Amino acid sequence: MSRATKEGTFGYLKKFGKYSRDFYRFNGELFFSSLGIGTYKAEPYKEDNYIINFAEAIKTALRNGINLVDTAINYRYQISEREIGEALNEMFAAGEITRQEVIIASKAGFIPLDFPFPENPYSWIQQNVIQAGLASKEEIVIDQHCMSPDFLRWSCEQSLKNLGIETLDIFYLHNPETQLGYVDQETFYRRIEAAFTLFEALIREKKIVSYGIAAWNGFLYEADHTEYVSLAKIVEIARRIGGDNHGFKYIQSPFNLAKPHAYGYSNQQCEDGMYYPLMHACASYGITYFGSSPLLQKNLFKRPFASKIGELMRTSELNDVASALQFARSAGAISAIFGAVDPSHVVDNAILAYLPAASAESMNSMMSDSYAV
């Protein structure tokens, strides 16, 4: 079996019997660790900046109970995916882990270029995307984002090659709201529909198991914002394309102490006609929610946290990073995805596996007392 399975992910969690009972969560299909590891890092332009390598951090995560690996084809010009592939296939070959135990997610939408950074990125796009027939110039927004089906298919197949696997467990459309403001709403949702039509085909071809949307602020804005994305409209498209058994099963968006909107800001309409926070809306539509950027790319730590945060999060004896991650995994997300290059940071974060998540009362207190602002 070339994908994560219910049996495989359950077998994986049984290896970590000393962890808190709620560290692993089940969405009806797979068992997820409530912390996932991501591989985003700001892209340097100088080749010598690529001495960093995520491979050891990925292996450390998988050895310490974290079975969700999240990436994107454009991260570091495809290098992040290739390093994940290096780590995974080394562990598969050594028998440390099986493909059925680990959940692998990637994203497509941004033009990834390739390492080393091309001397002329515009020529690279012209040659590798437009002349290759993957998209027309009109389908590329601000020289970086594209949702044409041919380009998305190429991205998926290239990600599989980079990762050295046969099937992606989750394939995200990456920050589609990037196109809003450059194309109108009708064009935007028509492009989403074309993308979802492709994704359903990729499921039938066993190249992906399911799909979703990884957005930045699109699902979090007020409804009249230019870049607002309606979850109700997205679900309607998925149902029209794939029927009741469509493969649109995941949403990823930021959730952290500075951006708690997915938990507390009612901006997404559900089938009862009322507006609810994104996490609630996802649950009502049967969609699994992931919280990204739990540390806000370390921007949360410009000043020390109030001591009350550690008390509410049960992390008083740890540090502010632990408090931030505890907050991010204690709301409605099945998993909070953090980035780490240093294996020791992964080990430090995995300490949270021994702690129960913060209570609903503590989370509500965080919101009402404005600790999360």
Side-chain angles (χ1 to χ4, degrees):
M1 185 81 61
S2 59
R3 60 181 179 84
T5 64
K6 175 182 175 181
E7 296 76 16
T9 54
F10 182 65
Y12 177 85
L13 74 84
K14 292 201 304 185
K15 300 175 184 178
F16 302 93
K18 293 184 179 180
Y19 283 180
S20 174
R21 187 175 299 177
D22 70 352
F23 184 69
Y24 294 98
R25 288 117 186 231
F26 183 56
N27 73 342
E29 297 185 1
L30 300 171
F31 290 90
F32 293 80
S33 53
S34 58
L35 291 177
I37 186 165
T39 57
Y40 174 79
K41 192 171 181 65
E43 292 88 346
Y45 288 88
K46 292 184 178 179
E47 187 168 336
D48 58 4
N49 286 343
Y50 279 90
I51 58 173
I52 62 169
N53 190 316
F54 278 98
E56 289 304 317
I58 296 298
K59 288 186 283 188
T60 301
L62 292 168
R63 289 167 180 156
N64 282 274
I66 295 170
N67 74 331
L68 171 63
V69 180
D70 182 90
T71 189
I73 190 171
N74 64 301
Y75 289 172
R76 298 167 61 235
Y77 315 121
Q78 305 188 53
I79 293 296
S80 287
E81 286 187 331
R82 291 165 186 164
E83 289 173 353
I84 291 169
E86 172 190 333
L88 289 174
N89 286 290
E90 182 179 321
M91 294 184 77
F92 293 158
E96 287 191 72
I97 196 168
T98 68
R99 176 66 185 90
Q100 294 75 32
E101 294 175 312
V102 57
I103 301 160
I104 306 172
S106 194
K107 314 177 190 79
F110 287 104
I111 294 174
L113 303 181
D114 204 348
F115 177 78
F117 188 80
E119 290 185 12
N120 187 328
Y122 305 103
S123 296
W124 191 97
I125 294 169
Q126 181 69 29
Q127 179 180 348
N128 292 280
V129 180
I130 297 174
Q131 291 179 3
L134 301 181
S136 67
K137 184 177 180 180
E138 293 69 30
E139 290 174 304
I140 300 172
V141 172
I142 52 174
D143 296 316
Q144 62 174 291
H145 198 274
C146 181
M147 295 194 288
S148 77
D150 287 338
F151 172 74
L152 295 175
R153 173 180 283 280
W154 173 86
S155 297
C156 176
E157 293 172 350
Q158 183 66 20
S159 289
L160 294 173
K161 179 180 177 181
N162 288 341
L163 291 160
I165 59 175
E166 297 177 12
T167 307
L168 281 165
D169 299 299
I170 307 171
F171 188 48
Y172 290 108
L173 187 59
H174 198 180
N175 290 13
E177 72 271 27
T178 301
Q179 300 208 359
L180 286 169
Y182 299 91
V183 303
D184 58 31
Q185 291 274 327
E186 182 180 353
T187 300
F188 174 77
Y189 286 108
R190 188 170 65 246
R191 289 180 176 182
I192 295 286
E193 184 163 342
F196 279 16
T197 300
L198 168 70
F199 294 169
E200 292 289 343
L202 293 175
I203 291 173
R204 293 191 294 272
E205 296 169 20
K206 301 189 184 324
K207 292 179 178 176
I208 67 174
V209 177
S210 54
Y211 58 92
I213 291 180
W216 187 245
N217 286 324
F219 288 112
L220 305 178
Y221 283 126
E222 60 276 11
D224 61 354
H225 193 282
T226 300
E227 293 185 13
Y228 174 78
V229 179
S230 166
L231 181 58
K233 289 184 179 179
I234 299 294
V235 171
E236 179 185 355
I237 290 169
R239 289 172 176 170
R240 184 165 62 248
I241 296 300
D244 291 339
N245 294 319
H246 61 79
F248 175 54
K249 296 181 179 179
Y250 297 96
I251 288 288
Q252 184 182 130
S253 79
F255 181 68
N256 55 58
L257 282 159
K259 292 174 72 72
H261 306 67
Y263 183 84
Y265 178 46
S266 298
N267 70 328
Q268 291 291 340
Q269 191 173 31
C270 292
E271 291 178 300
D272 63 2
M274 302 293 289
Y275 283 81
Y276 298 92
L278 178 60
M279 289 186 189
H280 181 108
C282 284
S284 75
Y285 288 118
I287 295 168
T288 298
Y289 175 85
F290 291 96
S292 63
S293 195
L295 308 181
L296 198 60
Q297 298 170 20
K298 298 184 180 179
N299 288 313
L300 289 178
F301 310 111
K302 294 182 178 179
R303 61 173 183 241
F305 288 2
S307 60
K308 187 68 173 178
I309 293 178
E311 295 171 15
L312 289 169
M313 295 295 102
R314 305 171 177 172
T315 51
S316 295
E317 297 183 4
L318 298 175
N319 54 34
D320 287 350
V321 170
S323 295
L325 289 174
Q326 179 78 326
F327 175 84
R329 77 180 190 99
S330 295
I334 198 166
S335 187
I337 302 164
F338 68 88
V341 176
D342 188 332
S344 69
H345 294 165
V346 178
V347 173
D348 290 344
N349 294 344
I351 292 295
L352 287 175
Y354 292 97
L355 298 180
S359 67
E361 291 77 15
S362 293
M363 293 297 292
N364 289 334
S365 179
M366 289 282 291
M367 297 295 180
S368 63
D369 291 340
S370 299
Y371 293 112
V373 174

